[in-house]
Amino acid sequence: MTDRKKQIKELVFFLLYISGFVFLCSRLVVHQPAYIFWDTMLCPPDEADRYLIPRFIFEHGRLPFGWEDEVGISGYGGSYAYLPGLSYVFMGWAIKFASLFTELETRYIFAARMVNLLMGVVSASFVWALAKRLFKDRPAAKLLPVMFMYLPQMIFIFSYVNLDACGIMSIVIMSYFLLAMGQDGVSFKNSAGFAAGAVFCLLSYYNCYAIFPGSVLYFIYLFVEKKDGKLRLKFKDMMKYGCFILLICLIGAGWWFIRSAALNNGDFLGLASLKAQQLKDRARVGLVIEPAPRDKGVGFFEFLATPGLFFWLFISFVADYGATILHTTKPYYLVFAAVFAAGLAALIITYVTGAVCRRREAGKTDKVSGNVSSVPAADKAGSIGLPYSLMLICGIIFNFGLWMFYAYAMDFQRQGRYVLPSALALFIFICSGYDRISLPEKFKKYEKLKTPLIYGIAVLLILLCLYFIFTKAIPAYADFTLLS
């Protein structure tokens, strides 16, 4: 196949992938109910209270401080306005634009939701480019974008008013530019791209901050070189690009934390102020919230043994719409579990066998070059690099750690959206597992089935997504659709 035909084929696949995501996500944008139907649990979680902030920005032309009654969380107390929320600014502008053509509140809700849909399109584009860098022209380069963007819960996240969408987008952007730095070298272009993603991350959900520790360590690693048999850190170059990134972050996101500290007596994160406002509001209405497990004297390991904790976490990681009430049968989720487990198992097996083969080959070196005479095919295929892998693992660990701390010490939540920031890293490993599959010599004739297998998994994931949205979600929304 000529390069021209390959480019056209690639473009067709990309357009189908993007248009499919937009079609499915837009169905949720217009069909799922909003706060107008206050008596149904089919409304997206917390959207009613989050929508108050872009609505306030539209009406007043400024950010709320947090203590205004107009942005208060009904019953529960406090306000999301105490926390970063760059998405709300874009949504306020979107509502302003919509107001030029209509005064219907439902259309304002559509406008606000469309901001997150557009962030989904940006995320989908960067995931596609990231997969291309990781897997080149191999089938896994198509599987990763499909697995990530067509996860039913991911489509849900990009379809209503929240900050999760901005956080997911930022993680994808940062991961892409870090990989670009590792492959192409650190440059001002890649640094600016990473910094832009970091700004979105800083002004989104705090649980998305889990990507920063690993990113910093990976960035430092990129400036380590071996010279004269010794490791050396290119400190000046690291500082040049590091300060450039830091400057963009300070300009793009620093203003929020300075503003928060000025308004809330030094509380630059806004968490203490939010907690104080919640206690004040709850005392006024006499609301008592169930204490977190730690406050009830539950031990941490006892908390981890809570019946159904990880089961429901996985369910709502895959597909659980509305206020975590719209899910489907267990076999549906078992298929996802099998796909994920098989990919991870393949990765572990090929890594272990590759390590064994390397040890066996250690003494068999080329007499001229002194290099290892051969490297197992499974060890070469789909390699994402140990440092980049460690960065991804670090992000997963920190994200799960933040969720466990929040659920144990602050507010017991089993919602999978809290660990969705780990999805990209997890799916990279799963797709790497499928990509690295290599059979023993006597079974090599079956290895040609790997390509249809990977494409078949991608098709299966799309069909599962279509099934959930069109047989579970849309019918459930029928009596509450905003279109009416």
Side-chain angles (χ1 to χ4, degrees):
M1 186 182 295
T2 64
D3 290 342
R4 177 68 175 171
K5 288 183 178 179
K6 285 178 66 175
Q7 290 174 357
I8 293 175
K9 183 180 178 181
E10 190 77 6
L11 179 61
V12 169
F13 276 130
F14 175 73
L15 292 177
L16 288 173
Y17 155 74
I18 289 289
S19 58
F21 168 78
V22 171
F23 172 73
L24 294 176
C25 196
S26 63
R27 293 306 87 202
L28 298 184
V29 166
V30 300
H31 283 293
Q32 64 184 325
Y35 76 94
I36 293 171
F37 301 103
W38 59 269
D39 57 343
T40 176
M41 293 291 286
L42 290 171
C43 294
D46 306 325
E47 185 185 48
D49 299 312
R50 294 186 181 279
Y51 175 73
L52 297 175
I53 301 173
R55 195 68 171 79
F56 182 96
I57 294 171
F58 160 64
E59 291 182 351
H60 299 275
R62 67 170 179 85
L63 287 167
F65 300 126
W67 51 77
E68 299 93 340
D69 291 336
E70 293 169 84
V71 294
I73 301 174
S74 58
Y76 196 75
S79 171
Y80 289 115
Y82 283 108
L83 307 177
L86 183 60
S87 301
Y88 300 143
V89 177
F90 297 143
M91 291 173 185
W93 294 347
I95 295 173
K96 184 70 173 178
F97 179 75
S99 70
L100 299 176
F101 309 98
T102 180
E103 293 183 356
L104 289 175
E105 190 69 26
T106 54
R107 301 307 182 257
Y108 293 170
I109 297 171
F110 289 161
R113 288 176 173 178
M114 283 299 294
V115 170
N116 277 355
L117 189 151
L118 292 175
M119 288 186 175
V121 172
V122 173
S123 301
S125 301
F126 273 98
V127 171
W128 182 275
L130 176 72
K132 187 75 174 174
R133 279 186 172 274
L134 283 173
F135 303 113
K136 309 303 179 185
D137 294 323
R138 301 192 296 276
K142 305 293 189 299
L143 179 60
L144 176 59
V146 168
M147 185 176 288
F148 186 75
M149 294 307 304
Y150 283 79
L151 184 74
Q153 200 67 16
M154 194 66 70
I155 291 180
F156 180 58
I157 286 297
F158 288 111
S159 70
Y160 70 95
V161 176
N162 60 59
L163 293 179
D164 306 69
C166 185
I168 297 294
M169 180 188 73
S170 70
I171 288 171
V172 173
I173 293 173
M174 293 167 72
S175 299
Y176 171 82
F177 282 106
L178 282 170
L179 180 61
M181 290 180 194
Q183 293 182 341
D184 304 337
V186 183
S187 65
F188 283 111
K189 176 185 175 182
N190 289 333
S191 298
F194 173 81
V199 168
F200 281 109
C201 189
L202 288 166
L203 296 179
S204 66
Y205 231 32
Y206 283 147
N207 68 337
C208 294
Y209 285 21
I211 191 175
F212 284 115
S215 298
V216 172
L217 293 175
Y218 182 72
F219 182 78
I220 294 173
Y221 159 80
L222 294 175
F223 294 94
V224 176
E225 65 175 1
K226 194 171 186 178
K227 193 171 184 179
D228 299 328
K230 296 181 179 180
L231 294 178
R232 185 176 72 93
L233 179 65
K234 295 186 286 186
F235 186 76
K236 288 185 178 179
D237 288 341
M238 185 184 73
M239 291 302 295
K240 178 176 67 175
Y241 292 109
C243 290
F244 176 68
I245 292 172
L246 184 60
L247 178 62
I248 294 176
C249 289
L250 287 173
I251 294 172
W255 63 271
W256 170 268
F257 299 100
I258 294 172
R259 172 184 180 272
S260 184
L263 290 174
N264 301 310
N265 299 315
D267 179 24
F268 68 97
L269 292 178
L271 293 172
S273 302
L274 171 60
K275 184 67 175 179
Q277 187 69 42
Q278 286 176 334
L279 294 175
K280 180 181 177 181
D281 293 342
R282 292 170 191 172
R284 186 174 66 248
V285 298
L287 179 68
V288 178
I289 300 295
E290 183 178 357
R294 184 183 66 176
D295 297 333
K296 292 192 291 187
V298 176
F300 181 70
F301 292 104
E302 185 182 355
F303 154 74
L304 293 180
T306 301
L309 176 63
F310 292 101
F311 171 78
W312 285 108
L313 184 71
F314 181 76
I315 292 296
S316 55
F317 175 85
V318 173
D320 194 5
Y321 288 7
T324 64
I325 67 161
L326 186 56
H327 35 264
T328 186
T329 58
K330 285 184 180 180
Y332 179 88
Y333 300 99
L334 288 175
V335 174
F336 278 95
V339 170
F340 297 163
L344 291 175
L347 180 66
I348 294 170
I349 292 171
T350 54
Y351 178 81
V352 171
T353 55
V356 171
C357 289
R358 280 197 302 273
R359 179 166 293 186
R360 288 177 179 175
E361 295 286 340
K364 302 175 183 179
T365 56
D366 186 278
K367 293 182 179 180
V368 177
S369 64
N371 293 327
V372 175
S373 60
S374 64
V375 179
D379 196 49
K380 292 189 291 184
S383 175
I384 57 178
L386 181 60
Y388 194 74
S389 298
L390 292 176
M391 183 202 76
L392 297 176
I393 292 172
C394 186
I396 292 174
I397 292 173
F398 272 89
N399 181 229
F400 268 84
L402 286 173
W403 164 72
M404 284 191 289
F405 173 79
Y406 180 77
Y408 176 64
M410 300 176 69
D411 185 17
F412 181 64
Q413 296 280 358
R414 300 181 295 185
Q415 295 187 45
R417 65 189 180 94
Y418 291 118
V419 295
L420 273 180
S422 299
L424 179 63
L426 176 63
F427 292 169
I428 286 175
F429 287 125
I430 292 170
C431 292
S432 267
Y434 286 113
D435 187 61
R436 290 168 63 99
I437 291 175
S438 182
L439 299 177
E441 198 62 40
K442 60 181 179 179
F443 298 112
K444 282 293 182 183
K445 61 181 179 180
Y446 298 110
E447 200 159 291
K448 61 184 179 181
L449 298 176
K450 184 171 80 170
T451 295
L453 169 67
I454 293 176
Y455 283 131
I457 292 171
V459 172
L460 173 64
L461 293 175
I462 292 173
L463 292 176
L464 288 171
C465 183
L466 291 171
Y467 170 82
F468 188 83
I469 290 176
F470 287 105
T471 69
K472 293 295 179 181
I474 301 299
Y477 298 151
D479 294 332
F480 307 101
T481 173
L482 296 183
L483 288 175
S484 59

